Amino acid sequence: MSAGRGPLDLSDLPVVDGHVHPLLPDPWAVSPERFLDVFTEGRPETMAAHVRHTGYFSRAMRELGQWLGTPPTVEAILERRLAVGPGLVRRVVAEARIAALLVDTGYPPVGMPLADVGQLLSCAVHEVFRVETCAETLLARALDYEEFLGAFNEALRKAARRCVAFKSIIAYRTGLAIRPWPPAEARAAYTGALARRAAGGSPRLSDKALLDTLFFAALEAATETGRPLQIHAGWGDPDIDLPAANPVLLRPVVEDPRWGATQLVLLHQAYPYVREAAFMSAVWPQVHVDLSLAIPFLGPGALGPLIDLLSLAPATKLMYGSDVHSLPELIALSARWGRAALAEALEWLIARGGTTREEARETGRRILADNARALYRLEAGPA
Ligand SMILES: [Zn+2]
């Protein structure tokens, strides 16, 4: 840090949160069980005895308590936020300078309508369209396979008129080692999925031949419509088979000239494969890295992964995100922590001659908002 100039301050820079999920339809009346679950990726209510002892929860409680003027207990905070309602959230989101949100509407299935979110938080709200959810919804029509593929392709192109990006969670289902399949095998997988659904089973798609085939169709739609594809990579909830979510498995896709101009965003820093993500963004022009989930979950511990990313990835390739859902104030909390961790990582580099103070501020501006605005072609938000 250069003498007399104080620490790098990014608090005046606007934020585009490039990956969030829907808010609860009524985010004010929240049960203590539901509230605790927001702070874990574990299955509902299974981590209740431990969530209170995580850094994410403890830090969030202290800051929420300060904002609300209450002791940092679940009971006091829930009671106070119910009494205060949207007023406090409007204030903290404005203070966090949230200019825009990109919302993956695929999960949870029922949330506050996006127009209401924009009104509540006074920021731009853009839709991200989840491709597997689209395919699962189409199962209800029991089309034959060719018609199903046609309807899927049409639905993606129709969605592209309003969404700013597509998203795939194939990492959760059958992993990122995606490959072409003979059409007969994809058709057989589809027929199996239809039969399971007709027998009262879940519409959840789980056959690799079909999911890989749909992923290629999504790549084609993304290429044709110029929409980036966000790809879940790395950690998440216990459904994830972590080694299958390593983004380096995407090499055949990123090396294929057909998709060379298709912009791919590796979500969640692909944590713990953050160095793999940094490498990929450093050698393939179309690969970008979203910072969500690691921010806010790691809190001050996000410093290490951010130093790894900033040390290798081009500053044009990293984009802030939170992966927050359900409670609107967490969007503001995550943005505060993300800015602070980013500033600290940049300070670390400045102190060692890795970057200059001027460059660092420019890098901060890019990562917090400008890269996302350019990649997703968002309209310029409030500066
Ligand atoms: Zn997400």
Side-chain angles (χ1 to χ4, degrees), residues 19-21 104 130 167 232 267-268 292 323:
H19 189 77
V20 297
H21 289 269
D104 168 8
R130 196 185 276 205
K167 168 170 181 198
H232 178 97
L267 293 171
H268 316 317
S292 72
D323 201 43

Side-chain angles (χ1 to χ4, degrees), residues 206-227:
S206 53
D207 296 280
K208 185 160 172 60
L210 182 58
L211 286 164
D212 284 359
T213 302
L214 296 176
F215 185 87
F216 285 115
L219 278 175
E220 219 167 280
T223 309
E224 199 181 299
T225 60
R227 297 286 178 269

Side-chain angles (χ1 to χ4, degrees), residues 130-372:
R130 196 185 276 205
V131 300
E132 289 82 7
T133 308
C134 171
E136 286 165 356
T137 306
L138 286 173
L139 280 188
R141 290 167 58 184
L143 302 168
D144 70 39
Y145 179 61
E146 273 70 27
E147 282 174 349
F148 165 77
L149 275 189
F152 180 68
N153 285 326
E154 196 185 308
L156 294 186
R157 279 153 187 82
K158 201 170 153 200
R161 288 185 220 138
R162 56 170 207 275
C163 72
V164 296
F166 295 114
K167 168 170 181 198
S168 171
I169 49 130
I170 196 166
Y172 265 113
R173 300 294 173 81
T174 46
L176 295 178
I178 296 151
R179 65 172 178 94
W181 290 79
E185 292 195 43
R187 179 186 289 109
Y190 173 72
T191 309
L194 270 191
R196 281 197 305 275
R197 193 182 182 283
S202 150
R204 182 184 163 99
L205 294 176
S206 53
D207 296 280
K208 185 160 172 60
L210 182 58
L211 286 164
D212 284 359
T213 302
L214 296 176
F215 185 87
F216 285 115
L219 278 175
E220 219 167 280
T223 309
E224 199 181 299
T225 60
R227 297 286 178 269
L229 175 62
Q230 297 188 343
I231 302 175
H232 178 97
W235 69 329
D237 65 52
D239 274 354
I240 203 83
D241 175 18
L242 195 57
N246 187 329
V248 294
L249 295 170
L250 288 167
R251 184 172 183 275
V253 170
V254 295
E255 277 284 283
D256 189 329
R258 279 180 300 165
W259 322 118
T262 315
Q263 305 302 310
L264 305 178
V265 181
L266 305 175
L267 293 171
H268 316 317
Q269 306 186 19
Y271 188 89
Y273 306 116
V274 55
R275 291 174 174 171
E276 283 84 341
F279 152 69
M280 291 177 74
S281 74
V283 297
W284 282 293
Q286 75 274 33
V287 175
H288 309 260
V289 182
D290 151 86
L291 304 182
S292 72
L293 201 56
I295 301 168
F297 265 81
L298 300 184
L303 176 66
L306 281 175
I307 289 174
D308 280 337
L309 285 166
L310 288 164
S311 299
L312 183 57
T316 42
K317 296 296 206 84
L318 306 176
M319 292 179 290
Y320 172 78
S322 69
D323 201 43
V324 154
H325 60 91
S326 301
L327 305 180
E329 57 267 56
L330 297 185
I331 294 171
L333 210 58
S334 178
R336 280 164 53 88
W337 298 356
R339 265 202 196 88
L342 185 58
E344 199 184 346
L346 288 165
E347 288 277 10
W348 190 94
L349 288 166
I350 294 169
R352 290 157 183 82
T355 187
T356 65
R357 188 160 291 269
E358 292 67 34
E359 278 174 357
R361 200 168 147 82
E362 189 50 36
T363 298
R365 183 189 295 278
R366 283 181 179 282
I367 294 173
L368 291 172
D370 288 0
N371 288 342

